[in-house]
Amino acid sequence: MKKLYIAGNWKMNKNEQETAEYFTQLLLVQDQVQDSIEQIICPPFLYLHSSKKLTQISKIIIGAQNVSDRENGAFTGEISAQMLKDMGITHCIIGHSERRQYFHESNELIGKKYIILKKYGIIPIICIGETLEQRESGHTNNVLREQLEGIFRDKVIQEDEQLLIAYEPVWAIGTGKTATPDMAQEVHSLIRNWLIINYNHSTAERIPLLYGGSVKPDNIQELMNQDDIDGALIGGASLEITSYIKMIELAGEIKKC
């Protein structure tokens, strides 16, 4: 069976006690989680260590929300890939729309972060997506191609390399708006075809494509049933443990070969 990825991005939410309570409840249902489901939770940096410790004997993957493009040095407040590696972190989100919008991260910078994660063997979850203005003006496809080309320009994706790409329409993040399943599938197909054209069919098929943008229990199955959608990057709905567990259960009912 093909893997489905249910990734939760907590952003700047929860304290240490809330984090512990969340994982305590999530651990209780692990025996019921289908083998086809890959669970990824990305808490704030401060709670990566405790989250790893709490989940160390489970199938739950703990990921980071960001990383510096520099290896080390006088970069106050930054977190390096080497530090993440030292903590046993295996996954890291880069290029999230909030990083682009609020911290003015460019495709070139995100490409550098991809390279540094690759160097340290950390699997990147690379986010791309368009704004409402770009969609309404008919520029979605051009924007996504520009982002993909800016991040992956002159970079070789190795045959055994692991990475995930998450399409997150900016206009659907935290707004309650969601791309229809057909709209999401159309964009995921575009991304898949871009990978085929720029790399090859086998690379395109093995890279999981996730959808992010107001995913919740009442729409996750419709989205996951689309041919080119291999999972979800979930923000607000992943903060509620009952909601996240429900999405894991619903995704587990989907069978993809």
Side-chain angles (χ1 to χ4, degrees):
M1 295 300 300
K2 194 171 187 178
K3 288 275 188 183
L4 284 178
Y5 298 78
I6 309 300
N9 176 16
W10 286 4
K11 306 184 182 183
M12 196 171 67
N13 292 290
K14 294 195 182 297
N15 58 31
E16 189 166 9
Q17 181 178 342
E18 291 167 339
T19 298
E21 291 172 353
Y22 187 102
F23 285 116
T24 297
Q25 292 184 64
L26 186 54
L27 288 167
L28 292 175
V29 302
Q30 288 305 295
D31 289 344
Q32 303 163 37
V33 178
Q34 298 294 318
D35 291 338
S36 60
I37 300 300
E38 199 83 88
Q39 306 162 79
I40 306 171
I41 298 289
C42 300
F45 281 121
L46 280 174
Y47 309 126
L48 288 177
H49 179 74
S50 59
S51 298
K52 280 287 292 182
K53 190 173 182 180
L54 285 165
T55 60
Q56 60 186 341
I57 59 171
S58 74
K59 297 179 287 187
I60 302 165
I61 295 168
I62 301 299
Q65 296 179 18
N66 189 33
V67 70
S68 173
D69 66 310
R70 308 300 185 99
E71 291 210 47
N72 51 56
F75 303 103
T76 301
E78 289 290 274
I79 304 294
S80 72
Q82 186 176 26
M83 293 173 184
L84 295 179
K85 183 73 173 181
D86 190 48
M87 292 176 67
I89 299 301
T90 57
H91 291 65
C92 181
I93 298 170
I94 55 174
H96 193 279
S97 63
E98 290 158 3
R99 298 297 309 180
R100 296 174 186 266
Q101 180 181 356
Y102 303 133
F103 301 95
H104 311 292
E105 294 194 0
S106 65
N107 294 322
E108 180 183 7
L109 177 64
I110 296 161
K112 290 178 179 178
K113 292 184 177 190
Y114 162 56
I115 289 298
I116 204 80
L117 289 174
K118 183 175 178 176
K119 176 177 179 179
Y120 284 92
I122 298 172
I123 299 170
I125 304 172
I126 304 172
C127 300
I128 60 173
E130 84 282 19
T131 64
L132 181 60
E133 180 182 3
Q134 290 165 337
R135 170 163 281 276
E136 290 182 340
S137 60
H139 294 149
T140 293
N141 292 1
N142 289 337
V143 169
L144 295 181
R145 289 192 187 99
E146 181 181 321
Q147 291 175 344
L148 289 166
E149 289 165 5
I151 295 167
F152 290 104
R153 183 180 292 116
D154 301 324
K155 299 175 180 69
V156 177
I157 298 178
Q158 305 293 338
E159 283 299 318
D160 60 346
E161 183 180 337
Q162 296 185 67
L163 65 100
L164 299 91
I165 298 176
Y167 166 58
E168 42 157 32
V170 180
W171 49 270
I173 297 174
T175 64
K177 298 180 180 179
T178 309
T180 66
D182 287 344
M183 290 164 63
Q185 167 56 27
E186 181 181 359
V187 174
H188 281 72
S189 177
L190 167 75
I191 299 168
R192 192 85 69 189
N193 286 329
W194 186 89
L195 290 167
I196 291 171
I197 292 168
N198 288 272
Y199 293 95
N200 52 58
H201 276 85
S202 63
T203 296
E205 284 302 313
R206 69 177 179 76
I207 292 177
L209 303 183
L210 280 54
Y211 172 77
S214 295
V215 179
K216 42 192 177 293
D218 63 8
N219 64 19
I220 192 168
Q221 281 192 323
E222 281 188 305
L223 290 162
M224 297 301 99
N225 273 317
Q226 301 303 306
D227 289 343
D228 289 300
I229 299 181
D230 304 312
L233 179 58
I234 307 159
S238 72
L239 292 172
E240 294 291 335
I241 184 60
T242 54
S243 173
Y244 184 75
I245 289 173
K246 184 63 176 176
M247 287 186 282
I248 291 172
E249 293 174 350
L250 290 169
E253 295 174 5
I254 298 169
K255 307 300 179 186
K256 285 192 173 185
C257 298

